[in-house]
Amino acid sequence: ASPTVGGTNQITIVNRWEKPLADIYLHNNANGYYESSNPKTARTVLGKITGQNILAVDDSAALSVRITLDQPLEVGDTLNLTVPFTTRLSGHPNPFLPTYGSLGDTTIYNLIFFYPILEYFYADGWHTDRHSGKADPHTNPAAYEVSISYPPALTIATSAHTIATDTLADGNLLIKTRYPRANAFSFVLADNFERYHANVRDVDIDIICTPGQSSNAEIIFTELETIIPLYEDQFGPCPNDKLTITM
């Protein structure tokens, strides 16, 4: 069976539009791409969505999931949604799916597009048809906080900012992260990985790689010592103060 990642997305919506909102849409990223052998298989399965004034949830396995309210969300009002989910990881390489795979003694879990987010709102309202089949629609970025718990035998890598870390009662580790300029970001978890660190012009750089690649890590650090100043001299300070590279 495919491994899974699951959790609960807590979403707060404030209607800053000029009209009441009768519907809310979720973008279920992983369900835009399927196993080639079974194109109808939903990768992300939503649990019971709860919140104020929910009348109905249409097709929770779709790429865009419509939540109909029994009373429109008035201008300036707030709606809180709780969205439980479970996402299956694919064993087939795909840059738009959460995946897993093994190489020698190392098993790697690439968690990308694995949790449902809000659909994207335009000046004239929702336009979910513009995003059909796309994992990551083009839009103004949003800020998300994501917490991941995982076995201590795994090494975790992410370009998100770490807010807090903790050890849970069951022995798993918990990392709470935030990335302020994206609507979705990824994590890589693996066993038998090594971590290398450097700082170039106040950009913290982590390289996570399989054993025996220390020389490759040093080559990358040397190249970044040239590349980052070159770009900053031309375009200004790097917008990200953290860079994570996995090999």
Side-chain angles (χ1 to χ4, degrees), residues 189-212:
L189 299 100
D191 55 9
N192 200 32
F193 255 32
E194 296 178 347
R195 185 187 304 269
Y196 298 90
H197 178 81
N199 185 285
V200 178
R201 284 206 180 182
D202 295 326
V203 178
D204 279 322
I205 304 165
D206 274 341
I207 294 180
I208 314 295
C209 56
T210 50

Side-chain angles (χ1 to χ4, degrees), residues 12-239:
T12 298
I13 302 164
V14 181
N15 185 6
R16 297 190 177 95
W17 199 35
E18 59 186 16
K19 303 175 185 177
L21 289 173
D23 299 307
I24 303 297
Y25 285 84
L26 295 178
H27 192 70
N28 211 354
N29 299 39
N31 288 352
Y33 295 83
Y34 307 100
E35 298 281 8
S36 58
S37 60
N38 189 354
K40 295 183 179 180
T41 300
R43 303 222 61 79
T44 297
V45 177
L46 301 184
K48 181 177 176 56
I49 300 174
T50 56
Q52 315 102 292
N53 302 327
I54 294 180
L55 179 63
V57 177
D58 294 345
D59 197 0
S60 61
L63 180 64
S64 291
V65 179
R66 184 174 69 175
I67 301 171
T68 303
L69 305 179
D70 60 6
Q71 294 181 358
L73 187 66
E74 299 294 334
V75 177
D77 285 355
T78 299
L79 172 66
N80 293 300
L81 296 176
T82 299
V83 186
F85 68 92
T86 301
T87 299
R88 294 188 303 114
L89 277 62
S90 172
H92 304 289
N94 189 313
F96 302 109
L97 282 179
T99 60
Y100 72 99
S102 296
L103 179 63
D105 296 329
T106 301
T107 300
I108 302 172
Y109 305 91
N110 183 33
L111 305 184
I112 189 167
F113 301 130
F114 66 94
Y115 57 92
I117 62 177
L118 277 183
E119 257 292 3
Y120 303 98
F121 200 82
Y122 295 83
D124 58 345
W126 305 101
H127 280 280
T128 60
D129 55 297
R130 300 182 188 178
H131 308 149
S132 177
K134 294 183 180 178
D136 192 17
H138 301 289
T139 183
N140 293 327
Y144 279 81
E145 292 185 1
V146 177
S147 296
I148 292 286
S149 61
Y150 58 97
L154 298 178
T155 298
I156 192 169
T158 176
S159 285
H161 297 272
T162 299
I163 300 174
T165 58
D166 198 6
T167 301
L168 303 176
D170 60 5
N172 285 337
L173 302 179
L174 176 72
I175 179 171
K176 183 178 181 181
T177 65
R178 183 177 190 272
Y179 194 63
R181 298 194 311 108
N183 50 56
F185 51 88
S186 65
F187 298 84
V188 172
L189 299 100
D191 55 9
N192 200 32
F193 255 32
E194 296 178 347
R195 185 187 304 269
Y196 298 90
H197 178 81
N199 185 285
V200 178
R201 284 206 180 182
D202 295 326
V203 178
D204 279 322
I205 304 165
D206 274 341
I207 294 180
I208 314 295
C209 56
T210 50
Q213 295 204 63
S214 59
S215 59
N216 292 332
E218 289 302 322
I219 291 172
I220 292 176
F221 284 138
T222 300
E223 292 178 345
L224 290 173
E225 287 173 358
T226 300
I227 292 171
I228 291 177
L230 175 66
Y231 273 83
E232 288 194 336
D233 290 345
Q234 296 293 325
F235 303 110
C238 181

